[in-house]
Amino acid sequence: MSERDLADAAQLASLADETPKGRSIVVLAKQRFNIRGRDMATLDANFLAFSAQSCMSGVDLPNQEIRKGAA
């Protein structure tokens, strides 16, 4: 996995994370890798917001699940 692929996955997993850490990951992926403007309708994604109970955020895509946080 390339650094850009990792940034892309981290950004996807952070899109529903409204915490400062989540927002900073989204911004970093935009600034460093120019990852912007996703077509959410074609992603067919189910976003999981960060919660204190799970300590995770993420996204479920048709063929993969991406999570970010404490396991």
PDB file of all heavy atoms in Angstrom, residues 2-37:
ATOM      1  N   SER A   2       0.598   2.154  -0.884  1.00  0.00           N
ATOM      2  CA  SER A   2       1.379   3.386  -0.961  1.00  0.00           C
ATOM      3  C   SER A   2       0.935   4.371   0.124  1.00  0.00           C
ATOM      4  O   SER A   2      -0.127   4.222   0.737  1.00  0.00           O
ATOM      5  CB  SER A   2       1.207   4.038  -2.335  1.00  0.00           C
ATOM      6  OG  SER A   2      -0.088   4.594  -2.453  1.00  0.00           O
ATOM      7  N   GLU A   3       1.756   5.381   0.332  1.00  0.00           N
ATOM      8  CA  GLU A   3       1.431   6.430   1.310  1.00  0.00           C
ATOM      9  C   GLU A   3       0.132   7.146   0.904  1.00  0.00           C
ATOM     10  O   GLU A   3      -0.689   7.482   1.741  1.00  0.00           O
ATOM     11  CB  GLU A   3       2.596   7.408   1.391  1.00  0.00           C
ATOM     12  CG  GLU A   3       2.557   8.301   2.593  1.00  0.00           C
ATOM     13  CD  GLU A   3       3.822   9.143   2.706  1.00  0.00           C
ATOM     14  OE1 GLU A   3       4.002  10.064   1.876  1.00  0.00           O
ATOM     15  OE2 GLU A   3       4.606   8.882   3.634  1.00  0.00           O
ATOM     16  N   ARG A   4      -0.052   7.350  -0.404  1.00  0.00           N
ATOM     17  CA  ARG A   4      -1.271   8.013  -0.897  1.00  0.00           C
ATOM     18  C   ARG A   4      -2.501   7.128  -0.664  1.00  0.00           C
ATOM     19  O   ARG A   4      -3.547   7.622  -0.284  1.00  0.00           O
ATOM     20  CB  ARG A   4      -1.139   8.348  -2.378  1.00  0.00           C
ATOM     21  CG  ARG A   4      -2.314   9.184  -2.861  1.00  0.00           C
ATOM     22  CD  ARG A   4      -2.235   9.496  -4.349  1.00  0.00           C
ATOM     23  NE  ARG A   4      -3.131  10.552  -4.761  1.00  0.00           N
ATOM     24  CZ  ARG A   4      -4.457  10.480  -4.746  1.00  0.00           C
ATOM     25  NH1 ARG A   4      -5.059   9.400  -4.316  1.00  0.00           N
ATOM     26  NH2 ARG A   4      -5.192  11.504  -5.141  1.00  0.00           N
ATOM     27  N   ASP A   5      -2.355   5.828  -0.883  1.00  0.00           N
ATOM     28  CA  ASP A   5      -3.475   4.901  -0.628  1.00  0.00           C
ATOM     29  C   ASP A   5      -3.864   4.918   0.850  1.00  0.00           C
ATOM     30  O   ASP A   5      -5.040   4.889   1.193  1.00  0.00           O
ATOM     31  CB  ASP A   5      -3.116   3.475  -1.047  1.00  0.00           C
ATOM     32  CG  ASP A   5      -3.012   3.300  -2.548  1.00  0.00           C
ATOM     33  OD1 ASP A   5      -3.577   4.121  -3.299  1.00  0.00           O
ATOM     34  OD2 ASP A   5      -2.350   2.331  -2.961  1.00  0.00           O
ATOM     35  N   LEU A   6      -2.865   4.962   1.719  1.00  0.00           N
ATOM     36  CA  LEU A   6      -3.125   5.021   3.156  1.00  0.00           C
ATOM     37  C   LEU A   6      -3.826   6.330   3.523  1.00  0.00           C
ATOM     38  O   LEU A   6      -4.793   6.330   4.290  1.00  0.00           O
ATOM     39  CB  LEU A   6      -1.822   4.874   3.936  1.00  0.00           C
ATOM     40  CG  LEU A   6      -1.941   4.925   5.449  1.00  0.00           C
ATOM     41  CD1 LEU A   6      -2.851   3.813   5.962  1.00  0.00           C
ATOM     42  CD2 LEU A   6      -0.579   4.834   6.085  1.00  0.00           C
ATOM     43  N   ALA A   7      -3.378   7.431   2.953  1.00  0.00           N
ATOM     44  CA  ALA A   7      -4.020   8.727   3.207  1.00  0.00           C
ATOM     45  C   ALA A   7      -5.458   8.727   2.704  1.00  0.00           C
ATOM     46  O   ALA A   7      -6.358   9.270   3.355  1.00  0.00           O
ATOM     47  CB  ALA A   7      -3.227   9.847   2.540  1.00  0.00           C
ATOM     48  N   ASP A   8      -5.694   8.106   1.564  1.00  0.00           N
ATOM     49  CA  ASP A   8      -7.041   8.014   1.007  1.00  0.00           C
ATOM     50  C   ASP A   8      -7.958   7.223   1.938  1.00  0.00           C
ATOM     51  O   ASP A   8      -9.080   7.647   2.243  1.00  0.00           O
ATOM     52  CB  ASP A   8      -6.980   7.361  -0.377  1.00  0.00           C
ATOM     53  CG  ASP A   8      -8.316   7.350  -1.073  1.00  0.00           C
ATOM     54  OD1 ASP A   8      -8.940   8.430  -1.188  1.00  0.00           O
ATOM     55  OD2 ASP A   8      -8.743   6.268  -1.508  1.00  0.00           O
ATOM     56  N   ALA A   9      -7.480   6.088   2.427  1.00  0.00           N
ATOM     57  CA  ALA A   9      -8.277   5.268   3.346  1.00  0.00           C
ATOM     58  C   ALA A   9      -8.524   6.002   4.663  1.00  0.00           C
ATOM     59  O   ALA A   9      -9.637   5.984   5.200  1.00  0.00           O
ATOM     60  CB  ALA A   9      -7.574   3.934   3.604  1.00  0.00           C
ATOM     61  N   ALA A  10      -7.487   6.667   5.187  1.00  0.00           N
ATOM     62  CA  ALA A  10      -7.636   7.413   6.440  1.00  0.00           C
ATOM     63  C   ALA A  10      -8.629   8.553   6.273  1.00  0.00           C
ATOM     64  O   ALA A  10      -9.447   8.813   7.169  1.00  0.00           O
ATOM     65  CB  ALA A  10      -6.282   7.945   6.905  1.00  0.00           C
ATOM     66  N   GLN A  11      -8.583   9.222   5.136  1.00  0.00           N
ATOM     67  CA  GLN A  11      -9.529  10.306   4.899  1.00  0.00           C
ATOM     68  C   GLN A  11     -10.957   9.770   4.810  1.00  0.00           C
ATOM     69  O   GLN A  11     -11.873  10.333   5.410  1.00  0.00           O
ATOM     70  CB  GLN A  11      -9.177  11.083   3.639  1.00  0.00           C
ATOM     71  CG  GLN A  11     -10.061  12.317   3.481  1.00  0.00           C
ATOM     72  CD  GLN A  11      -9.928  12.982   2.143  1.00  0.00           C
ATOM     73  OE1 GLN A  11     -10.097  12.324   1.119  1.00  0.00           O
ATOM     74  NE2 GLN A  11      -9.619  14.272   2.150  1.00  0.00           N
ATOM     75  N   LEU A  12     -11.158   8.691   4.075  1.00  0.00           N
ATOM     76  CA  LEU A  12     -12.495   8.100   3.982  1.00  0.00           C
ATOM     77  C   LEU A  12     -13.021   7.730   5.368  1.00  0.00           C
ATOM     78  O   LEU A  12     -14.178   7.993   5.700  1.00  0.00           O
ATOM     79  CB  LEU A  12     -12.467   6.849   3.101  1.00  0.00           C
ATOM     80  CG  LEU A  12     -12.704   7.044   1.631  1.00  0.00           C
ATOM     81  CD1 LEU A  12     -12.456   5.743   0.880  1.00  0.00           C
ATOM     82  CD2 LEU A  12     -14.108   7.549   1.357  1.00  0.00           C
ATOM     83  N   ALA A  13     -12.167   7.118   6.183  1.00  0.00           N
ATOM     84  CA  ALA A  13     -12.577   6.711   7.527  1.00  0.00           C
ATOM     85  C   ALA A  13     -12.831   7.895   8.443  1.00  0.00           C
ATOM     86  O   ALA A  13     -13.502   7.761   9.468  1.00  0.00           O
ATOM     87  CB  ALA A  13     -11.521   5.796   8.143  1.00  0.00           C
ATOM     88  N   SER A  14     -12.322   9.070   8.072  1.00  0.00           N
ATOM     89  CA  SER A  14     -12.445  10.263   8.915  1.00  0.00           C
ATOM     90  C   SER A  14     -13.546  11.213   8.473  1.00  0.00           C
ATOM     91  O   SER A  14     -13.810  12.192   9.166  1.00  0.00           O
ATOM     92  CB  SER A  14     -11.116  11.019   8.944  1.00  0.00           C
ATOM     93  OG  SER A  14     -10.099  10.217   9.478  1.00  0.00           O
ATOM     94  N   LEU A  15     -14.169  10.966   7.353  1.00  0.00           N
ATOM     95  CA  LEU A  15     -15.162  11.920   6.839  1.00  0.00           C
ATOM     96  C   LEU A  15     -16.328  12.136   7.800  1.00  0.00           C
ATOM     97  O   LEU A  15     -16.902  13.219   7.838  1.00  0.00           O
ATOM     98  CB  LEU A  15     -15.666  11.480   5.464  1.00  0.00           C
ATOM     99  CG  LEU A  15     -14.663  11.640   4.328  1.00  0.00           C
ATOM    100  CD1 LEU A  15     -15.234  11.067   3.025  1.00  0.00           C
ATOM    101  CD2 LEU A  15     -14.271  13.097   4.142  1.00  0.00           C
ATOM    102  N   ALA A  16     -16.681  11.136   8.582  1.00  0.00           N
ATOM    103  CA  ALA A  16     -17.782  11.284   9.536  1.00  0.00           C
ATOM    104  C   ALA A  16     -17.285  11.572  10.956  1.00  0.00           C
ATOM    105  O   ALA A  16     -18.069  11.611  11.898  1.00  0.00           O
ATOM    106  CB  ALA A  16     -18.649  10.023   9.548  1.00  0.00           C
ATOM    107  N   ASP A  17     -15.982  11.781  11.102  1.00  0.00           N
ATOM    108  CA  ASP A  17     -15.386  12.044  12.415  1.00  0.00           C
ATOM    109  C   ASP A  17     -15.267  13.549  12.601  1.00  0.00           C
ATOM    110  O   ASP A  17     -14.402  14.191  12.008  1.00  0.00           O
ATOM    111  CB  ASP A  17     -14.020  11.369  12.496  1.00  0.00           C
ATOM    112  CG  ASP A  17     -13.342  11.533  13.845  1.00  0.00           C
ATOM    113  OD1 ASP A  17     -13.855  12.292  14.692  1.00  0.00           O
ATOM    114  OD2 ASP A  17     -12.292  10.902  14.051  1.00  0.00           O
ATOM    115  N   GLU A  18     -16.125  14.126  13.410  1.00  0.00           N
ATOM    116  CA  GLU A  18     -16.153  15.576  13.620  1.00  0.00           C
ATOM    117  C   GLU A  18     -15.205  16.051  14.719  1.00  0.00           C
ATOM    118  O   GLU A  18     -15.185  17.228  15.042  1.00  0.00           O
ATOM    119  CB  GLU A  18     -17.586  16.033  13.938  1.00  0.00           C
ATOM    120  CG  GLU A  18     -18.557  15.812  12.791  1.00  0.00           C
ATOM    121  CD  GLU A  18     -18.224  16.650  11.561  1.00  0.00           C
ATOM    122  OE1 GLU A  18     -17.656  17.754  11.710  1.00  0.00           O
ATOM    123  OE2 GLU A  18     -18.515  16.188  10.446  1.00  0.00           O
ATOM    124  N   THR A  19     -14.395  15.142  15.272  1.00  0.00           N
ATOM    125  CA  THR A  19     -13.440  15.558  16.297  1.00  0.00           C
ATOM    126  C   THR A  19     -12.286  16.310  15.629  1.00  0.00           C
ATOM    127  O   THR A  19     -12.073  16.198  14.415  1.00  0.00           O
ATOM    128  CB  THR A  19     -12.873  14.336  17.057  1.00  0.00           C
ATOM    129  OG1 THR A  19     -12.087  13.545  16.153  1.00  0.00           O
ATOM    130  CG2 THR A  19     -13.983  13.507  17.682  1.00  0.00           C
ATOM    131  N   PRO A  20     -11.504  17.074  16.415  1.00  0.00           N
ATOM    132  CA  PRO A  20     -10.354  17.769  15.825  1.00  0.00           C
ATOM    133  C   PRO A  20      -9.384  16.819  15.112  1.00  0.00           C
ATOM    134  O   PRO A  20      -8.859  17.144  14.051  1.00  0.00           O
ATOM    135  CB  PRO A  20      -9.698  18.451  17.025  1.00  0.00           C
ATOM    136  CG  PRO A  20     -10.836  18.690  17.972  1.00  0.00           C
ATOM    137  CD  PRO A  20     -11.722  17.463  17.813  1.00  0.00           C
ATOM    138  N   LYS A  21      -9.155  15.638  15.673  1.00  0.00           N
ATOM    139  CA  LYS A  21      -8.255  14.671  15.026  1.00  0.00           C
ATOM    140  C   LYS A  21      -8.820  14.211  13.692  1.00  0.00           C
ATOM    141  O   LYS A  21      -8.101  14.099  12.701  1.00  0.00           O
ATOM    142  CB  LYS A  21      -8.007  13.463  15.929  1.00  0.00           C
ATOM    143  CG  LYS A  21      -7.082  13.749  17.077  1.00  0.00           C
ATOM    144  CD  LYS A  21      -6.817  12.496  17.877  1.00  0.00           C
ATOM    145  CE  LYS A  21      -5.925  12.804  19.060  1.00  0.00           C
ATOM    146  NZ  LYS A  21      -5.612  11.628  19.841  1.00  0.00           N
ATOM    147  N   GLY A  22     -10.112  13.926  13.660  1.00  0.00           N
ATOM    148  CA  GLY A  22     -10.741  13.496  12.416  1.00  0.00           C
ATOM    149  C   GLY A  22     -10.666  14.558  11.342  1.00  0.00           C
ATOM    150  O   GLY A  22     -10.335  14.285  10.184  1.00  0.00           O
ATOM    151  N   ARG A  23     -10.973  15.788  11.709  1.00  0.00           N
ATOM    152  CA  ARG A  23     -10.921  16.900  10.748  1.00  0.00           C
ATOM    153  C   ARG A  23      -9.495  17.118  10.245  1.00  0.00           C
ATOM    154  O   ARG A  23      -9.281  17.409   9.078  1.00  0.00           O
ATOM    155  CB  ARG A  23     -11.437  18.200  11.384  1.00  0.00           C
ATOM    156  CG  ARG A  23     -12.899  18.190  11.788  1.00  0.00           C
ATOM    157  CD  ARG A  23     -13.864  18.111  10.617  1.00  0.00           C
ATOM    158  NE  ARG A  23     -14.132  16.708  10.338  1.00  0.00           N
ATOM    159  CZ  ARG A  23     -14.510  16.176   9.182  1.00  0.00           C
ATOM    160  NH1 ARG A  23     -14.697  16.905   8.141  1.00  0.00           N
ATOM    161  NH2 ARG A  23     -14.705  14.904   9.026  1.00  0.00           N
ATOM    162  N   SER A  24      -8.501  16.963  11.137  1.00  0.00           N
ATOM    163  CA  SER A  24      -7.119  17.201  10.721  1.00  0.00           C
ATOM    164  C   SER A  24      -6.655  16.151   9.712  1.00  0.00           C
ATOM    165  O   SER A  24      -5.867  16.464   8.812  1.00  0.00           O
ATOM    166  CB  SER A  24      -6.179  17.240  11.928  1.00  0.00           C
ATOM    167  OG  SER A  24      -6.069  15.966  12.530  1.00  0.00           O
ATOM    168  N   ILE A  25      -7.141  14.941   9.815  1.00  0.00           N
ATOM    169  CA  ILE A  25      -6.788  13.896   8.846  1.00  0.00           C
ATOM    170  C   ILE A  25      -7.364  14.229   7.479  1.00  0.00           C
ATOM    171  O   ILE A  25      -6.696  14.085   6.451  1.00  0.00           O
ATOM    172  CB  ILE A  25      -7.264  12.517   9.334  1.00  0.00           C
ATOM    173  CG1 ILE A  25      -6.433  12.093  10.543  1.00  0.00           C
ATOM    174  CG2 ILE A  25      -7.179  11.475   8.216  1.00  0.00           C
ATOM    175  CD1 ILE A  25      -6.963  10.875  11.268  1.00  0.00           C
ATOM    176  N   VAL A  26      -8.607  14.695   7.452  1.00  0.00           N
ATOM    177  CA  VAL A  26      -9.240  15.082   6.185  1.00  0.00           C
ATOM    178  C   VAL A  26      -8.444  16.216   5.531  1.00  0.00           C
ATOM    179  O   VAL A  26      -8.141  16.171   4.333  1.00  0.00           O
ATOM    180  CB  VAL A  26     -10.714  15.486   6.409  1.00  0.00           C
ATOM    181  CG1 VAL A  26     -11.314  16.076   5.150  1.00  0.00           C
ATOM    182  CG2 VAL A  26     -11.530  14.278   6.870  1.00  0.00           C
ATOM    183  N   VAL A  27      -8.070  17.207   6.321  1.00  0.00           N
ATOM    184  CA  VAL A  27      -7.314  18.353   5.800  1.00  0.00           C
ATOM    185  C   VAL A  27      -5.925  17.910   5.322  1.00  0.00           C
ATOM    186  O   VAL A  27      -5.472  18.325   4.248  1.00  0.00           O
ATOM    187  CB  VAL A  27      -7.211  19.472   6.859  1.00  0.00           C
ATOM    188  CG1 VAL A  27      -6.229  20.547   6.435  1.00  0.00           C
ATOM    189  CG2 VAL A  27      -8.584  20.062   7.125  1.00  0.00           C
ATOM    190  N   LEU A  28      -5.247  17.077   6.088  1.00  0.00           N
ATOM    191  CA  LEU A  28      -3.911  16.611   5.703  1.00  0.00           C
ATOM    192  C   LEU A  28      -3.951  15.875   4.359  1.00  0.00           C
ATOM    193  O   LEU A  28      -3.107  16.104   3.487  1.00  0.00           O
ATOM    194  CB  LEU A  28      -3.332  15.690   6.778  1.00  0.00           C
ATOM    195  CG  LEU A  28      -1.961  15.094   6.455  1.00  0.00           C
ATOM    196  CD1 LEU A  28      -0.900  16.184   6.421  1.00  0.00           C
ATOM    197  CD2 LEU A  28      -1.602  14.026   7.467  1.00  0.00           C
ATOM    198  N   ALA A  29      -4.929  15.009   4.167  1.00  0.00           N
ATOM    199  CA  ALA A  29      -5.047  14.280   2.897  1.00  0.00           C
ATOM    200  C   ALA A  29      -5.299  15.241   1.737  1.00  0.00           C
ATOM    201  O   ALA A  29      -4.785  15.039   0.636  1.00  0.00           O
ATOM    202  CB  ALA A  29      -6.161  13.240   2.982  1.00  0.00           C
ATOM    203  N   LYS A  30      -6.065  16.290   1.996  1.00  0.00           N
ATOM    204  CA  LYS A  30      -6.308  17.297   0.953  1.00  0.00           C
ATOM    205  C   LYS A  30      -5.031  18.056   0.624  1.00  0.00           C
ATOM    206  O   LYS A  30      -4.690  18.245  -0.541  1.00  0.00           O
ATOM    207  CB  LYS A  30      -7.380  18.299   1.405  1.00  0.00           C
ATOM    208  CG  LYS A  30      -8.776  17.769   1.378  1.00  0.00           C
ATOM    209  CD  LYS A  30      -9.739  18.841   1.857  1.00  0.00           C
ATOM    210  CE  LYS A  30     -11.157  18.320   1.906  1.00  0.00           C
ATOM    211  NZ  LYS A  30     -12.079  19.326   2.438  1.00  0.00           N
ATOM    212  N   GLN A  31      -4.320  18.507   1.658  1.00  0.00           N
ATOM    213  CA  GLN A  31      -3.145  19.346   1.453  1.00  0.00           C
ATOM    214  C   GLN A  31      -1.956  18.579   0.889  1.00  0.00           C
ATOM    215  O   GLN A  31      -1.292  19.036  -0.026  1.00  0.00           O
ATOM    216  CB  GLN A  31      -2.743  20.019   2.760  1.00  0.00           C
ATOM    217  CG  GLN A  31      -3.722  21.060   3.223  1.00  0.00           C
ATOM    218  CD  GLN A  31      -3.364  21.641   4.576  1.00  0.00           C
ATOM    219  OE1 GLN A  31      -2.587  21.079   5.341  1.00  0.00           O
ATOM    220  NE2 GLN A  31      -3.964  22.781   4.893  1.00  0.00           N
ATOM    221  N   ARG A  32      -1.703  17.409   1.438  1.00  0.00           N
ATOM    222  CA  ARG A  32      -0.489  16.683   1.055  1.00  0.00           C
ATOM    223  C   ARG A  32      -0.664  15.833  -0.200  1.00  0.00           C
ATOM    224  O   ARG A  32       0.281  15.666  -0.974  1.00  0.00           O
ATOM    225  CB  ARG A  32      -0.033  15.803   2.214  1.00  0.00           C
ATOM    226  CG  ARG A  32       1.277  15.146   1.936  1.00  0.00           C
ATOM    227  CD  ARG A  32       1.978  14.721   3.165  1.00  0.00           C
ATOM    228  NE  ARG A  32       3.212  14.060   2.803  1.00  0.00           N
ATOM    229  CZ  ARG A  32       3.910  13.313   3.606  1.00  0.00           C
ATOM    230  NH1 ARG A  32       3.507  13.143   4.840  1.00  0.00           N
ATOM    231  NH2 ARG A  32       5.001  12.741   3.199  1.00  0.00           N
ATOM    232  N   PHE A  33      -1.878  15.285  -0.405  1.00  0.00           N
ATOM    233  CA  PHE A  33      -2.084  14.372  -1.523  1.00  0.00           C
ATOM    234  C   PHE A  33      -3.145  14.851  -2.507  1.00  0.00           C
ATOM    235  O   PHE A  33      -3.478  14.140  -3.446  1.00  0.00           O
ATOM    236  CB  PHE A  33      -2.451  12.980  -0.999  1.00  0.00           C
ATOM    237  CG  PHE A  33      -1.354  12.359  -0.188  1.00  0.00           C
ATOM    238  CD1 PHE A  33      -1.382  12.422   1.195  1.00  0.00           C
ATOM    239  CD2 PHE A  33      -0.283  11.732  -0.805  1.00  0.00           C
ATOM    240  CE1 PHE A  33      -0.364  11.856   1.959  1.00  0.00           C
ATOM    241  CE2 PHE A  33       0.732  11.174  -0.060  1.00  0.00           C
ATOM    242  CZ  PHE A  33       0.703  11.238   1.333  1.00  0.00           C
ATOM    243  N   ASN A  34      -3.688  16.037  -2.271  1.00  0.00           N
ATOM    244  CA  ASN A  34      -4.705  16.622  -3.145  1.00  0.00           C
ATOM    245  C   ASN A  34      -5.911  15.683  -3.329  1.00  0.00           C
ATOM    246  O   ASN A  34      -6.458  15.570  -4.424  1.00  0.00           O
ATOM    247  CB  ASN A  34      -4.102  17.010  -4.498  1.00  0.00           C
ATOM    248  CG  ASN A  34      -4.965  18.013  -5.223  1.00  0.00           C
ATOM    249  OD1 ASN A  34      -5.646  18.826  -4.601  1.00  0.00           O
ATOM    250  ND2 ASN A  34      -4.966  17.963  -6.536  1.00  0.00           N
ATOM    251  N   ILE A  35      -6.298  15.004  -2.262  1.00  0.00           N
ATOM    252  CA  ILE A  35      -7.455  14.102  -2.296  1.00  0.00           C
ATOM    253  C   ILE A  35      -8.680  14.938  -1.944  1.00  0.00           C
ATOM    254  O   ILE A  35      -8.862  15.352  -0.812  1.00  0.00           O
ATOM    255  CB  ILE A  35      -7.288  12.927  -1.312  1.00  0.00           C
ATOM    256  CG1 ILE A  35      -6.020  12.143  -1.656  1.00  0.00           C
ATOM    257  CG2 ILE A  35      -8.514  12.032  -1.343  1.00  0.00           C
ATOM    258  CD1 ILE A  35      -5.655  11.090  -0.618  1.00  0.00           C
ATOM    259  N   ARG A  36      -9.515  15.203  -2.928  1.00  0.00           N
ATOM    260  CA  ARG A  36     -10.668  16.084  -2.774  1.00  0.00           C
ATOM    261  C   ARG A  36     -11.835  15.576  -3.583  1.00  0.00           C
ATOM    262  O   ARG A  36     -11.697  14.684  -4.389  1.00  0.00           O
ATOM    263  CB  ARG A  36     -10.374  17.485  -3.294  1.00  0.00           C
ATOM    264  CG  ARG A  36      -9.112  18.069  -2.887  1.00  0.00           C
ATOM    265  CD  ARG A  36      -8.825  19.389  -3.595  1.00  0.00           C
ATOM    266  NE  ARG A  36      -7.614  19.942  -3.049  1.00  0.00           N
ATOM    267  CZ  ARG A  36      -7.573  20.758  -2.024  1.00  0.00           C
ATOM    268  NH1 ARG A  36      -8.665  21.148  -1.455  1.00  0.00           N
ATOM    269  NH2 ARG A  36      -6.425  21.206  -1.574  1.00  0.00           N
ATOM    270  N   GLY A  37     -12.966  16.212  -3.381  1.00  0.00           N
ATOM    271  CA  GLY A  37     -14.139  16.066  -4.227  1.00  0.00           C
ATOM    272  C   GLY A  37     -14.570  14.655  -4.562  1.00  0.00           C
ATOM    273  O   GLY A  37     -14.536  14.265  -5.718  1.00  0.00           O
TER     274      GLY A  37
END
